[in-house]
Amino acid sequence: MTADDDIATYLRGQLRLRGIGGDTPLAEVLDAVMALEVEGVPAEQIGKWRKATDRASWRIRPPDRETWGTTPAQQAEMARLAGSVVHPGATKQ
């Protein structure tokens, strides 16, 4: 992800917060885009956020994809997150 991607994400998020969706009339979309243009994009703040996020993510060890989801505890957690009933063989910890 690049700074340009972060800015595009910021703008899309701001449009969504303003209620802009796929069915919004073009005039309303353009009004919201104009307001965002006048307000400006906090590029410096977005850049600081990206650097902090990148540094934090480098410290995180990725999960072991070969064994993920094979332990009873992981299966129980996934069932809880998915709103499913815990498999009879799984135990909660």
Side-chain angles (χ1 to χ4, degrees):
M1 189 169 263
T2 66
D4 291 338
D5 294 333
D6 290 336
I7 290 171
T9 300
Y10 171 82
L11 291 172
R12 282 192 304 272
Q14 287 297 319
L15 289 171
R16 287 186 185 117
L17 288 172
R18 287 168 166 78
I20 303 298
D23 59 346
T24 305
L26 182 58
E28 291 180 32
V29 173
L30 295 175
D31 290 347
V33 170
M34 175 62 85
L36 288 172
E37 185 66 30
V38 170
E39 290 174 4
V41 174
E44 186 176 326
Q45 185 177 354
I46 291 172
K48 288 178 183 177
W49 171 83
R50 167 56 59 193
K51 286 179 185 175
T53 302
D54 287 346
R55 278 194 299 270
S57 66
W58 293 331
R59 290 186 209 127
I60 299 171
R61 185 176 56 179
D64 181 1
R65 302 284 182 202
E66 289 185 26
T67 62
W68 177 252
T70 58
T71 69
Q74 291 169 341
Q75 291 172 358
E77 280 301 307
M78 187 59 220
R80 184 184 63 77
L81 289 171
S84 304
V85 176
V86 177
H87 188 280
T91 59
K92 289 187 177 182
Q93 292 186 3

